[in-house]
Amino acid sequence: MKQVLGIIASQRQLGNCEIMVKEVSRQLEVPHRLQLLRLPDFRLRYCNGCYRCLSRGGCVLNDDLNVILEAIAAADAVILAAPTYFLGAHACLKGLVDRGISFYAMAERLWGKPAVGIGIAGIEGKEGSTLLDIERLLVTLQADNRMSRIIYGALPGEAVMHEENRRLAGELADALFGEPAARLQPCCPLCGGATFRFLGDGRVRCMLCSNTGELEEGPSGPTLQITQSHHEFVTDRVAALEHQEWLKGMLARYREQREPLKEVKAAYQDETPWIRPSADQAEASW
Ligand SMILES: Cc1cc2nc3c(=O)[nH]c(=O)nc-3n(C[C@H](O)[C@H](O)[C@H](O)COP(=O)(O)O)c2cc1C
């Protein structure tokens, strides 16, 4: 019996994210047990950029990160769903991505976990970066993103009222433990990302793996010729491990440069007034 974890990045109970995850589970033919985790219910502090997780083997912040990571690591597969809020995925998703350096400590258990992603948008074409945001969490988790799609539905429950969306749920279910779905086209040949920035002169940058290349017009539509750069952490495990080593090198560089950096910073330490949070917020433990 497979253990499947549904991650719901929406506050809404029985909203489209929750219902679509349950629909994928219903259509999943592999015997499994679905467990759900509502991301905004968890106490997840902002990453404070200390990099101590690199030397300490995990994050130093006292919150629920490990509960979430442990649930992901224990599952055989993940179904992730996030709603679009103002042209991007709900902020709780980014909150988890930002803690990603500490995921390396669990890389052995996270690597290659089958996952599918669902971005929900209320208005067709208004999903903005939601698919990219979902894919970014999956690559940061070092999961095997087998299919990620945008599904449209505004009112809670509306997503499953459309036949096309129920069909997509079936495809997501098939992809989770079966053959990965065909990639959206055009897509980055290295990482499968489908969001690009145009750099001029026919050159593009993939917004998921950051590699660049040429956009070419082929007989069956545009294709992308993208080559891997040296600065990489998305496309494969070797690249991810190299990136981790590079980060550790940064830590060593910081230690070496601590004194000159202190001098630079001291010149900016003045009495400029700060607006402070309310006492309640300041006193909150997170
Ligand atoms: C604050 C807020 C902002 C939203 N922004 C967008 C948006 O930019 N584009 C869009 O297509 N839908 C937007 N929506 C609609 C939601 O993505 C949609 O209702 C979705 O079904 C919510 O999923 P849920 O029911 O799982 O929470 C927004 C909804 C809210 C509440």
Side-chain angles (χ1 to χ4, degrees), residues 71-107:
I72 297 171
D76 294 306
V78 170
I79 308 170
L80 168 67
T84 304
Y85 273 21
F86 293 101
L87 302 176
H90 190 286
C92 65
L93 203 77
K94 181 71 164 80
L96 181 56
V97 174
D98 286 1
R99 306 287 292 279
I101 297 180
S102 55
F103 300 176
Y104 285 117
M106 288 181 100

PDB file of all heavy atoms in Angstrom, residues 71-107:
ATOM      1  N   ALA A  71       7.001  14.484   6.947  1.00  0.00           N
ATOM      2  CA  ALA A  71       5.813  13.928   6.267  1.00  0.00           C
ATOM      3  C   ALA A  71       6.109  13.671   4.791  1.00  0.00           C
ATOM      4  O   ALA A  71       5.698  12.651   4.228  1.00  0.00           O
ATOM      5  CB  ALA A  71       4.634  14.890   6.414  1.00  0.00           C
ATOM      6  N   ILE A  72       6.854  14.596   4.177  1.00  0.00           N
ATOM      7  CA  ILE A  72       7.192  14.420   2.750  1.00  0.00           C
ATOM      8  C   ILE A  72       8.138  13.231   2.595  1.00  0.00           C
ATOM      9  O   ILE A  72       7.954  12.371   1.732  1.00  0.00           O
ATOM     10  CB  ILE A  72       7.824  15.717   2.171  1.00  0.00           C
ATOM     11  CG1 ILE A  72       6.803  16.866   2.221  1.00  0.00           C
ATOM     12  CG2 ILE A  72       8.305  15.492   0.747  1.00  0.00           C
ATOM     13  CD1 ILE A  72       7.384  18.242   1.888  1.00  0.00           C
ATOM     14  N   ALA A  73       9.149  13.182   3.456  1.00  0.00           N
ATOM     15  CA  ALA A  73      10.145  12.104   3.347  1.00  0.00           C
ATOM     16  C   ALA A  73       9.499  10.739   3.574  1.00  0.00           C
ATOM     17  O   ALA A  73       9.871   9.755   2.923  1.00  0.00           O
ATOM     18  CB  ALA A  73      11.268  12.340   4.350  1.00  0.00           C
ATOM     19  N   ALA A  74       8.508  10.688   4.467  1.00  0.00           N
ATOM     20  CA  ALA A  74       7.885   9.394   4.788  1.00  0.00           C
ATOM     21  C   ALA A  74       6.929   8.918   3.690  1.00  0.00           C
ATOM     22  O   ALA A  74       6.604   7.730   3.627  1.00  0.00           O
ATOM     23  CB  ALA A  74       7.128   9.510   6.114  1.00  0.00           C
ATOM     24  N   ALA A  75       6.481   9.839   2.838  1.00  0.00           N
ATOM     25  CA  ALA A  75       5.500   9.461   1.802  1.00  0.00           C
ATOM     26  C   ALA A  75       6.194   8.816   0.608  1.00  0.00           C
ATOM     27  O   ALA A  75       7.370   9.068   0.340  1.00  0.00           O
ATOM     28  CB  ALA A  75       4.751  10.711   1.342  1.00  0.00           C
ATOM     29  N   ASP A  76       5.429   7.979  -0.108  1.00  0.00           N
ATOM     30  CA  ASP A  76       5.966   7.392  -1.345  1.00  0.00           C
ATOM     31  C   ASP A  76       5.800   8.355  -2.513  1.00  0.00           C
ATOM     32  O   ASP A  76       6.485   8.238  -3.531  1.00  0.00           O
ATOM     33  CB  ASP A  76       5.220   6.091  -1.678  1.00  0.00           C
ATOM     34  CG  ASP A  76       5.485   5.027  -0.627  1.00  0.00           C
ATOM     35  OD1 ASP A  76       6.675   4.747  -0.368  1.00  0.00           O
ATOM     36  OD2 ASP A  76       4.513   4.501  -0.050  1.00  0.00           O
ATOM     37  N   ALA A  77       4.851   9.276  -2.384  1.00  0.00           N
ATOM     38  CA  ALA A  77       4.600  10.220  -3.481  1.00  0.00           C
ATOM     39  C   ALA A  77       3.845  11.424  -2.922  1.00  0.00           C
ATOM     40  O   ALA A  77       3.223  11.350  -1.866  1.00  0.00           O
ATOM     41  CB  ALA A  77       3.780   9.555  -4.575  1.00  0.00           C
ATOM     42  N   VAL A  78       3.918  12.524  -3.674  1.00  0.00           N
ATOM     43  CA  VAL A  78       3.317  13.782  -3.211  1.00  0.00           C
ATOM     44  C   VAL A  78       2.408  14.362  -4.295  1.00  0.00           C
ATOM     45  O   VAL A  78       2.760  14.357  -5.475  1.00  0.00           O
ATOM     46  CB  VAL A  78       4.450  14.799  -2.881  1.00  0.00           C
ATOM     47  CG1 VAL A  78       3.890  16.194  -2.644  1.00  0.00           C
ATOM     48  CG2 VAL A  78       5.256  14.342  -1.671  1.00  0.00           C
ATOM     49  N   ILE A  79       1.244  14.843  -3.847  1.00  0.00           N
ATOM     50  CA  ILE A  79       0.373  15.631  -4.739  1.00  0.00           C
ATOM     51  C   ILE A  79       0.334  17.028  -4.125  1.00  0.00           C
ATOM     52  O   ILE A  79      -0.117  17.198  -2.984  1.00  0.00           O
ATOM     53  CB  ILE A  79      -1.065  15.067  -4.802  1.00  0.00           C
ATOM     54  CG1 ILE A  79      -1.069  13.573  -5.133  1.00  0.00           C
ATOM     55  CG2 ILE A  79      -1.901  15.838  -5.819  1.00  0.00           C
ATOM     56  CD1 ILE A  79      -2.458  12.909  -4.969  1.00  0.00           C
ATOM     57  N   LEU A  80       0.821  18.007  -4.860  1.00  0.00           N
ATOM     58  CA  LEU A  80       0.909  19.371  -4.333  1.00  0.00           C
ATOM     59  C   LEU A  80      -0.094  20.256  -5.050  1.00  0.00           C
ATOM     60  O   LEU A  80      -0.170  20.225  -6.282  1.00  0.00           O
ATOM     61  CB  LEU A  80       2.337  19.891  -4.580  1.00  0.00           C
ATOM     62  CG  LEU A  80       2.595  21.381  -4.383  1.00  0.00           C
ATOM     63  CD1 LEU A  80       2.456  21.768  -2.909  1.00  0.00           C
ATOM     64  CD2 LEU A  80       3.991  21.750  -4.880  1.00  0.00           C
ATOM     65  N   ALA A  81      -0.867  21.027  -4.305  1.00  0.00           N
ATOM     66  CA  ALA A  81      -1.821  21.945  -4.954  1.00  0.00           C
ATOM     67  C   ALA A  81      -1.761  23.311  -4.298  1.00  0.00           C
ATOM     68  O   ALA A  81      -1.765  23.429  -3.074  1.00  0.00           O
ATOM     69  CB  ALA A  81      -3.237  21.384  -4.870  1.00  0.00           C
ATOM     70  N   ALA A  82      -1.713  24.343  -5.129  1.00  0.00           N
ATOM     71  CA  ALA A  82      -1.648  25.722  -4.603  1.00  0.00           C
ATOM     72  C   ALA A  82      -2.564  26.615  -5.433  1.00  0.00           C
ATOM     73  O   ALA A  82      -2.621  26.482  -6.657  1.00  0.00           O
ATOM     74  CB  ALA A  82      -0.220  26.242  -4.688  1.00  0.00           C
ATOM     75  N   PRO A  83      -3.252  27.540  -4.787  1.00  0.00           N
ATOM     76  CA  PRO A  83      -4.073  28.480  -5.541  1.00  0.00           C
ATOM     77  C   PRO A  83      -3.257  29.672  -6.038  1.00  0.00           C
ATOM     78  O   PRO A  83      -2.228  30.006  -5.438  1.00  0.00           O
ATOM     79  CB  PRO A  83      -5.093  28.956  -4.495  1.00  0.00           C
ATOM     80  CG  PRO A  83      -4.362  28.881  -3.204  1.00  0.00           C
ATOM     81  CD  PRO A  83      -3.356  27.742  -3.335  1.00  0.00           C
ATOM     82  N   THR A  84      -3.721  30.296  -7.082  1.00  0.00           N
ATOM     83  CA  THR A  84      -3.122  31.549  -7.540  1.00  0.00           C
ATOM     84  C   THR A  84      -3.653  32.682  -6.680  1.00  0.00           C
ATOM     85  O   THR A  84      -4.861  32.818  -6.512  1.00  0.00           O
ATOM     86  CB  THR A  84      -3.518  31.825  -9.011  1.00  0.00           C
ATOM     87  OG1 THR A  84      -3.133  30.730  -9.806  1.00  0.00           O
ATOM     88  CG2 THR A  84      -2.886  33.103  -9.521  1.00  0.00           C
ATOM     89  N   TYR A  85      -2.751  33.443  -6.130  1.00  0.00           N
ATOM     90  CA  TYR A  85      -3.104  34.696  -5.449  1.00  0.00           C
ATOM     91  C   TYR A  85      -2.283  35.789  -6.120  1.00  0.00           C
ATOM     92  O   TYR A  85      -1.057  35.772  -6.055  1.00  0.00           O
ATOM     93  CB  TYR A  85      -2.759  34.632  -3.956  1.00  0.00           C
ATOM     94  CG  TYR A  85      -3.834  34.045  -3.062  1.00  0.00           C
ATOM     95  CD1 TYR A  85      -4.837  33.215  -3.554  1.00  0.00           C
ATOM     96  CD2 TYR A  85      -3.846  34.333  -1.702  1.00  0.00           C
ATOM     97  CE1 TYR A  85      -5.821  32.684  -2.721  1.00  0.00           C
ATOM     98  CE2 TYR A  85      -4.828  33.809  -0.864  1.00  0.00           C
ATOM     99  CZ  TYR A  85      -5.809  32.983  -1.380  1.00  0.00           C
ATOM    100  OH  TYR A  85      -6.763  32.458  -0.548  1.00  0.00           O
ATOM    101  N   PHE A  86      -2.941  36.682  -6.782  1.00  0.00           N
ATOM    102  CA  PHE A  86      -2.276  37.802  -7.467  1.00  0.00           C
ATOM    103  C   PHE A  86      -1.107  37.332  -8.333  1.00  0.00           C
ATOM    104  O   PHE A  86       0.050  37.667  -8.101  1.00  0.00           O
ATOM    105  CB  PHE A  86      -1.853  38.883  -6.472  1.00  0.00           C
ATOM    106  CG  PHE A  86      -3.048  39.558  -5.861  1.00  0.00           C
ATOM    107  CD1 PHE A  86      -3.483  39.225  -4.597  1.00  0.00           C
ATOM    108  CD2 PHE A  86      -3.789  40.466  -6.599  1.00  0.00           C
ATOM    109  CE1 PHE A  86      -4.622  39.797  -4.053  1.00  0.00           C
ATOM    110  CE2 PHE A  86      -4.931  41.045  -6.066  1.00  0.00           C
ATOM    111  CZ  PHE A  86      -5.352  40.710  -4.792  1.00  0.00           C
ATOM    112  N   LEU A  87      -1.461  36.521  -9.297  1.00  0.00           N
ATOM    113  CA  LEU A  87      -0.538  36.105 -10.358  1.00  0.00           C
ATOM    114  C   LEU A  87       0.640  35.241  -9.896  1.00  0.00           C
ATOM    115  O   LEU A  87       1.658  35.151 -10.572  1.00  0.00           O
ATOM    116  CB  LEU A  87       0.007  37.339 -11.130  1.00  0.00           C
ATOM    117  CG  LEU A  87      -1.054  38.225 -11.790  1.00  0.00           C
ATOM    118  CD1 LEU A  87      -0.409  39.448 -12.436  1.00  0.00           C
ATOM    119  CD2 LEU A  87      -1.860  37.457 -12.842  1.00  0.00           C
ATOM    120  N   GLY A  88       0.489  34.616  -8.750  1.00  0.00           N
ATOM    121  CA  GLY A  88       1.525  33.683  -8.301  1.00  0.00           C
ATOM    122  C   GLY A  88       0.916  32.772  -7.257  1.00  0.00           C
ATOM    123  O   GLY A  88      -0.206  33.006  -6.788  1.00  0.00           O
ATOM    124  N   ALA A  89       1.652  31.736  -6.889  1.00  0.00           N
ATOM    125  CA  ALA A  89       1.110  30.801  -5.899  1.00  0.00           C
ATOM    126  C   ALA A  89       1.013  31.458  -4.529  1.00  0.00           C
ATOM    127  O   ALA A  89       1.763  32.394  -4.213  1.00  0.00           O
ATOM    128  CB  ALA A  89       2.002  29.566  -5.816  1.00  0.00           C
ATOM    129  N   HIS A  90       0.103  30.966  -3.714  1.00  0.00           N
ATOM    130  CA  HIS A  90      -0.089  31.439  -2.333  1.00  0.00           C
ATOM    131  C   HIS A  90       1.264  31.517  -1.610  1.00  0.00           C
ATOM    132  O   HIS A  90       2.128  30.642  -1.772  1.00  0.00           O
ATOM    133  CB  HIS A  90      -1.009  30.432  -1.627  1.00  0.00           C
ATOM    134  CG  HIS A  90      -1.505  30.881  -0.293  1.00  0.00           C
ATOM    135  ND1 HIS A  90      -0.697  30.915   0.822  1.00  0.00           N
ATOM    136  CD2 HIS A  90      -2.727  31.300   0.102  1.00  0.00           C
ATOM    137  CE1 HIS A  90      -1.409  31.333   1.860  1.00  0.00           C
ATOM    138  NE2 HIS A  90      -2.649  31.577   1.446  1.00  0.00           N
ATOM    139  N   ALA A  91       1.408  32.548  -0.795  1.00  0.00           N
ATOM    140  CA  ALA A  91       2.702  32.841  -0.162  1.00  0.00           C
ATOM    141  C   ALA A  91       3.245  31.697   0.689  1.00  0.00           C
ATOM    142  O   ALA A  91       4.465  31.573   0.863  1.00  0.00           O
ATOM    143  CB  ALA A  91       2.570  34.094   0.696  1.00  0.00           C
ATOM    144  N   CYS A  92       2.370  30.834   1.216  1.00  0.00           N
ATOM    145  CA  CYS A  92       2.876  29.756   2.083  1.00  0.00           C
ATOM    146  C   CYS A  92       3.814  28.829   1.305  1.00  0.00           C
ATOM    147  O   CYS A  92       4.718  28.216   1.882  1.00  0.00           O
ATOM    148  CB  CYS A  92       1.733  28.979   2.744  1.00  0.00           C
ATOM    149  SG  CYS A  92       0.701  28.064   1.601  1.00  0.00           S
ATOM    150  N   LEU A  93       3.592  28.751  -0.010  1.00  0.00           N
ATOM    151  CA  LEU A  93       4.450  27.890  -0.835  1.00  0.00           C
ATOM    152  C   LEU A  93       5.871  28.468  -0.886  1.00  0.00           C
ATOM    153  O   LEU A  93       6.856  27.755  -0.700  1.00  0.00           O
ATOM    154  CB  LEU A  93       3.856  27.812  -2.245  1.00  0.00           C
ATOM    155  CG  LEU A  93       4.247  26.621  -3.063  1.00  0.00           C
ATOM    156  CD1 LEU A  93       3.469  25.404  -2.602  1.00  0.00           C
ATOM    157  CD2 LEU A  93       3.934  26.880  -4.538  1.00  0.00           C
ATOM    158  N   LYS A  94       5.946  29.768  -1.090  1.00  0.00           N
ATOM    159  CA  LYS A  94       7.262  30.416  -1.154  1.00  0.00           C
ATOM    160  C   LYS A  94       7.954  30.345   0.203  1.00  0.00           C
ATOM    161  O   LYS A  94       9.184  30.193   0.284  1.00  0.00           O
ATOM    162  CB  LYS A  94       7.082  31.875  -1.612  1.00  0.00           C
ATOM    163  CG  LYS A  94       8.371  32.672  -1.751  1.00  0.00           C
ATOM    164  CD  LYS A  94       9.191  32.205  -2.942  1.00  0.00           C
ATOM    165  CE  LYS A  94      10.278  33.201  -3.341  1.00  0.00           C
ATOM    166  NZ  LYS A  94      11.472  33.151  -2.524  1.00  0.00           N
ATOM    167  N   GLY A  95       7.132  30.428   1.266  1.00  0.00           N
ATOM    168  CA  GLY A  95       7.704  30.321   2.613  1.00  0.00           C
ATOM    169  C   GLY A  95       8.442  29.002   2.792  1.00  0.00           C
ATOM    170  O   GLY A  95       9.511  28.945   3.408  1.00  0.00           O
ATOM    171  N   LEU A  96       7.884  27.939   2.227  1.00  0.00           N
ATOM    172  CA  LEU A  96       8.539  26.629   2.326  1.00  0.00           C
ATOM    173  C   LEU A  96       9.754  26.558   1.399  1.00  0.00           C
ATOM    174  O   LEU A  96      10.826  26.087   1.804  1.00  0.00           O
ATOM    175  CB  LEU A  96       7.527  25.514   2.008  1.00  0.00           C
ATOM    176  CG  LEU A  96       8.031  24.081   2.096  1.00  0.00           C
ATOM    177  CD1 LEU A  96       8.631  23.762   3.464  1.00  0.00           C
ATOM    178  CD2 LEU A  96       6.900  23.089   1.786  1.00  0.00           C
ATOM    179  N   VAL A  97       9.606  27.053   0.178  1.00  0.00           N
ATOM    180  CA  VAL A  97      10.741  27.038  -0.765  1.00  0.00           C
ATOM    181  C   VAL A  97      11.939  27.762  -0.150  1.00  0.00           C
ATOM    182  O   VAL A  97      13.071  27.292  -0.240  1.00  0.00           O
ATOM    183  CB  VAL A  97      10.368  27.739  -2.099  1.00  0.00           C
ATOM    184  CG1 VAL A  97      11.584  27.858  -2.999  1.00  0.00           C
ATOM    185  CG2 VAL A  97       9.273  26.992  -2.828  1.00  0.00           C
ATOM    186  N   ASP A  98      11.673  28.892   0.496  1.00  0.00           N
ATOM    187  CA  ASP A  98      12.778  29.698   1.033  1.00  0.00           C
ATOM    188  C   ASP A  98      13.595  28.955   2.082  1.00  0.00           C
ATOM    189  O   ASP A  98      14.737  29.328   2.353  1.00  0.00           O
ATOM    190  CB  ASP A  98      12.234  30.993   1.658  1.00  0.00           C
ATOM    191  CG  ASP A  98      11.792  31.995   0.608  1.00  0.00           C
ATOM    192  OD1 ASP A  98      11.879  31.688  -0.587  1.00  0.00           O
ATOM    193  OD2 ASP A  98      11.345  33.092   0.995  1.00  0.00           O
ATOM    194  N   ARG A  99      13.042  27.929   2.652  1.00  0.00           N
ATOM    195  CA  ARG A  99      13.781  27.140   3.649  1.00  0.00           C
ATOM    196  C   ARG A  99      14.598  26.024   2.988  1.00  0.00           C
ATOM    197  O   ARG A  99      15.121  25.134   3.663  1.00  0.00           O
ATOM    198  CB  ARG A  99      12.795  26.548   4.667  1.00  0.00           C
ATOM    199  CG  ARG A  99      11.890  27.598   5.321  1.00  0.00           C
ATOM    200  CD  ARG A  99      12.625  28.461   6.313  1.00  0.00           C
ATOM    201  NE  ARG A  99      13.023  27.708   7.470  1.00  0.00           N
ATOM    202  CZ  ARG A  99      12.207  27.411   8.507  1.00  0.00           C
ATOM    203  NH1 ARG A  99      10.965  27.837   8.501  1.00  0.00           N
ATOM    204  NH2 ARG A  99      12.644  26.717   9.528  1.00  0.00           N
ATOM    205  N   GLY A 100      14.659  26.091   1.654  1.00  0.00           N
ATOM    206  CA  GLY A 100      15.169  24.965   0.854  1.00  0.00           C
ATOM    207  C   GLY A 100      16.602  24.547   1.109  1.00  0.00           C
ATOM    208  O   GLY A 100      16.951  23.403   0.851  1.00  0.00           O
ATOM    209  N   ILE A 101      17.454  25.439   1.593  1.00  0.00           N
ATOM    210  CA  ILE A 101      18.852  25.002   1.808  1.00  0.00           C
ATOM    211  C   ILE A 101      18.874  23.902   2.860  1.00  0.00           C
ATOM    212  O   ILE A 101      19.662  22.962   2.772  1.00  0.00           O
ATOM    213  CB  ILE A 101      19.760  26.185   2.198  1.00  0.00           C
ATOM    214  CG1 ILE A 101      19.805  27.197   1.055  1.00  0.00           C
ATOM    215  CG2 ILE A 101      21.189  25.689   2.464  1.00  0.00           C
ATOM    216  CD1 ILE A 101      20.676  28.405   1.326  1.00  0.00           C
ATOM    217  N   SER A 102      17.943  23.998   3.809  1.00  0.00           N
ATOM    218  CA  SER A 102      17.955  22.955   4.849  1.00  0.00           C
ATOM    219  C   SER A 102      17.366  21.635   4.339  1.00  0.00           C
ATOM    220  O   SER A 102      17.467  20.615   5.020  1.00  0.00           O
ATOM    221  CB  SER A 102      17.245  23.429   6.114  1.00  0.00           C
ATOM    222  OG  SER A 102      15.958  23.856   5.805  1.00  0.00           O
ATOM    223  N   PHE A 103      16.782  21.632   3.137  1.00  0.00           N
ATOM    224  CA  PHE A 103      16.288  20.352   2.594  1.00  0.00           C
ATOM    225  C   PHE A 103      17.457  19.409   2.274  1.00  0.00           C
ATOM    226  O   PHE A 103      17.298  18.197   2.223  1.00  0.00           O
ATOM    227  CB  PHE A 103      15.481  20.534   1.301  1.00  0.00           C
ATOM    228  CG  PHE A 103      14.242  21.395   1.416  1.00  0.00           C
ATOM    229  CD1 PHE A 103      13.489  21.682   0.278  1.00  0.00           C
ATOM    230  CD2 PHE A 103      13.807  21.916   2.620  1.00  0.00           C
ATOM    231  CE1 PHE A 103      12.351  22.474   0.356  1.00  0.00           C
ATOM    232  CE2 PHE A 103      12.679  22.717   2.703  1.00  0.00           C
ATOM    233  CZ  PHE A 103      11.954  22.995   1.560  1.00  0.00           C
ATOM    234  N   TYR A 104      18.649  20.017   2.006  1.00  0.00           N
ATOM    235  CA  TYR A 104      19.797  19.175   1.652  1.00  0.00           C
ATOM    236  C   TYR A 104      20.089  18.138   2.746  1.00  0.00           C
ATOM    237  O   TYR A 104      20.557  17.047   2.459  1.00  0.00           O
ATOM    238  CB  TYR A 104      21.060  20.030   1.459  1.00  0.00           C
ATOM    239  CG  TYR A 104      21.080  20.800   0.158  1.00  0.00           C
ATOM    240  CD1 TYR A 104      21.094  22.185   0.138  1.00  0.00           C
ATOM    241  CD2 TYR A 104      21.127  20.129  -1.060  1.00  0.00           C
ATOM    242  CE1 TYR A 104      21.134  22.896  -1.049  1.00  0.00           C
ATOM    243  CE2 TYR A 104      21.160  20.831  -2.258  1.00  0.00           C
ATOM    244  CZ  TYR A 104      21.167  22.213  -2.239  1.00  0.00           C
ATOM    245  OH  TYR A 104      21.199  22.901  -3.419  1.00  0.00           O
ATOM    246  N   ALA A 105      19.807  18.533   3.982  1.00  0.00           N
ATOM    247  CA  ALA A 105      20.103  17.619   5.092  1.00  0.00           C
ATOM    248  C   ALA A 105      19.297  16.322   4.964  1.00  0.00           C
ATOM    249  O   ALA A 105      19.666  15.298   5.532  1.00  0.00           O
ATOM    250  CB  ALA A 105      19.808  18.301   6.423  1.00  0.00           C
ATOM    251  N   MET A 106      18.164  16.391   4.224  1.00  0.00           N
ATOM    252  CA  MET A 106      17.319  15.192   4.080  1.00  0.00           C
ATOM    253  C   MET A 106      17.343  14.656   2.650  1.00  0.00           C
ATOM    254  O   MET A 106      16.477  13.869   2.266  1.00  0.00           O
ATOM    255  CB  MET A 106      15.874  15.534   4.442  1.00  0.00           C
ATOM    256  CG  MET A 106      15.660  15.760   5.908  1.00  0.00           C
ATOM    257  SD  MET A 106      13.935  16.125   6.209  1.00  0.00           S
ATOM    258  CE  MET A 106      13.354  14.559   6.772  1.00  0.00           C
ATOM    259  N   ALA A 107      18.310  15.130   1.884  1.00  0.00           N
ATOM    260  CA  ALA A 107      18.300  14.842   0.442  1.00  0.00           C
ATOM    261  C   ALA A 107      18.173  13.352   0.131  1.00  0.00           C
ATOM    262  O   ALA A 107      17.477  12.964  -0.810  1.00  0.00           O
ATOM    263  CB  ALA A 107      19.542  15.419  -0.214  1.00  0.00           C
TER     264      ALA A 107
END
